[in-house]
Amino acid sequence: MESLLIIIVAILAVIAVIMLFNTIAKRRERQAAETKAVRDRTYAPRDPFSSADDDAVRGDPRALKPGDMVDIRGEMFAVRGTLTLSQSGFSWTENFLDTGTGRKAWVSVEEDPDLEVVLWEELKGVAVSPGPESIEVDGRRYSSDETGSARFTSAGTTGLATGNMSYHDYSAGDARLSFEDFGSGWECARGQVLARAEYRIFPADTGPS
């Protein structure tokens, strides 16, 4: 009788040990799954050259719209109008800026794939026309960069509505030269690529949503 009791106790002990190991194994599996889920939620591949952090502090130029204010190199401009241009699924914007004291300019925003923000000034009386592989203006030689046509729409005050335009862009380092035709002949503008620290955006207060 004592032998049978010892055998039963031993069997129960083995069962208890097996159940304990199973419980510990399941707990470890659950903890590993929870840890992986947290890691998957918190980790996301990031572009090391992304401007997302700067956008949070200095404003996102891709979201510029009429009514916003932009400080460029210490000069404050109001965005009076925005042209949105599109070509073969790719789009960019050109924003009409005004200080209110006579100084006007345009700023273009393009992402292809890196973000490029360019401050433009209109040039009058340019004797050259687009087409050659290189062009010299005011002693600087520019090389042909891109040419094509695009569809555009307008918001705010730009002097344009909706239609098609042609362009021919030239570059020389961080300097830009652009010819655009919105239907009344070529217009020429000279541009300068802006560093992220050179401008800051103050979005218009749109009120409660």
Side-chain angles (χ1 to χ4, degrees):
M1 187 68 178
E2 288 183 5
S3 298
L4 179 60
L5 182 60
I6 291 172
I7 292 173
I8 293 173
V9 170
I11 292 173
L12 291 174
V14 171
I15 292 173
V17 170
I18 292 173
M19 292 179 63
L20 177 62
F21 275 112
N22 285 340
T23 301
I24 293 174
K26 289 181 179 178
R27 182 179 299 168
R28 288 178 176 175
E29 289 177 1
R30 186 170 62 251
Q31 289 175 342
E34 291 174 351
T35 300
K36 183 178 183 302
V38 170
R39 185 170 61 248
D40 291 344
R41 287 197 303 270
T42 56
Y43 171 76
R46 296 185 61 188
D47 183 346
F49 298 105
S50 170
S51 63
D53 292 340
D54 284 337
D55 293 344
V57 175
R58 309 190 69 85
D60 185 355
R62 289 156 291 206
L64 272 175
K65 62 187 181 303
D68 290 348
M69 302 297 292
V70 188
D71 183 325
I72 301 177
R73 297 171 176 169
E75 190 171 19
M76 188 66 74
F77 293 87
V79 180
R80 294 185 59 188
T82 297
L83 291 176
T84 300
L85 303 101
S86 59
Q87 177 186 16
S88 302
F90 174 72
S91 64
W92 67 98
T93 60
E94 296 181 2
N95 302 273
F96 177 41
L97 309 181
D98 195 335
T99 61
T101 59
R103 168 107 155 92
K104 296 177 174 60
W106 288 80
V107 65
S108 62
V109 182
E110 182 176 346
E111 198 169 23
D112 184 30
D114 296 325
L115 179 66
E116 182 175 272
V117 179
V118 181
L119 179 65
W120 298 91
E121 62 171 328
E122 185 179 358
L123 294 181
K124 297 289 189 180
V126 175
V128 296
S129 298
E133 285 301 308
S134 66
I135 285 179
E136 184 172 329
V137 175
D138 293 339
R140 186 162 200 168
R141 183 158 292 278
Y142 299 82
S143 298
S144 179
D145 185 31
E146 186 177 3
T147 183
S149 59
R151 180 76 175 168
F152 68 88
T153 58
S154 175
T157 301
T158 64
L160 298 166
T162 299
N164 297 300
M165 58 84 72
S166 300
Y167 66 88
H168 196 142
D169 294 337
Y170 291 79
S171 63
D174 283 340
R176 301 287 183 265
L177 190 72
S178 180
F179 293 85
E180 295 182 330
D181 183 358
F182 288 89
S184 57
W186 289 111
E187 300 174 358
C188 184
R190 178 168 48 206
Q192 182 68 38
V193 176
L194 294 173
R196 194 62 186 91
E198 292 186 291
Y199 62 91
R200 185 166 186 173
I201 299 165
F202 301 90
D205 183 5
T206 57
S209 57

